[in-house]
Amino acid sequence: METPKKTNKRLNQIKRGLTEFSILTIINSGEYLFYAESIRERLEETGFSTPKGTLYPALRKLMCEKIIGQYYDESDLGTPRKHYFLTEKGKSLYTELDQYWKEINKTLERLKKPTDW
């Protein structure tokens, strides 16, 4: 049996691998305008907490790849906030990743079922 520390390491690897897809999923949800802190809070709510040291580089990478875009929202309440949105390339990528994720889930469910060898 694995130690809890080893299990946590494995789970963290899975979470790291899903960071970009999680970010795209949040931005795609279209509930409201997303800025970095709201994305981090949303991840935290779901148990998919992501440290700022992981989130901000992921956002920069997605920006450099033109998967997400940004704009500043001027506010009377203080400094402008940088909001993120999916570009056309990002929407296409999100659709592709979402479909792939569904296929992974189907495959795992099939693998759980006993088969006759």
Side-chain angles (χ1 to χ4, degrees):
M1 181 161 211
E2 277 194 346
T3 64
K5 185 176 182 178
K6 188 116 178 162
T7 300
N8 283 339
K9 185 177 180 181
R10 291 182 195 282
L11 294 175
N12 285 334
Q13 287 174 333
I14 293 169
K15 283 171 41 174
R16 264 195 307 278
L18 292 171
T19 298
E20 289 182 12
F21 182 45
S22 298
I23 291 169
L24 297 179
T25 299
I26 290 170
I27 295 172
N28 187 67
S29 72
E31 289 178 13
Y32 60 95
L33 302 174
F34 288 100
Y35 55 98
E37 188 60 23
S38 66
I39 293 170
R40 194 192 64 72
E41 288 170 359
R42 183 74 186 274
L43 289 168
E44 186 87 22
E45 289 170 8
T46 63
F48 232 100
S49 61
T50 303
K52 290 179 182 180
T54 300
L55 178 62
Y56 286 99
L59 289 169
R60 273 193 302 280
K61 180 177 180 278
L62 293 168
M63 287 277 304
C64 288
E65 294 174 351
K66 299 189 182 338
I67 293 167
I68 62 173
Q70 69 180 15
Y71 67 93
Y72 288 92
D73 182 25
E74 298 295 329
S75 171
D76 296 335
L77 304 174
T79 58
R81 285 190 172 166
K82 189 186 306 181
H83 293 278
Y84 297 96
F85 61 92
L86 293 183
T87 62
E88 288 304 314
K89 182 178 178 181
K91 290 174 186 175
S92 177
L93 176 63
Y94 171 76
T95 299
E96 186 178 327
L97 292 174
D98 189 49
Q99 185 60 42
Y100 184 65
W101 184 251
K102 290 173 184 171
E103 291 299 318
I104 289 172
N105 281 325
K106 283 184 205 173
T107 300
L108 290 173
E109 288 305 313
R110 273 195 0 245
L111 292 172
K112 290 178 186 178
K113 295 177 183 175
T115 88
D116 296 326
W117 291 93

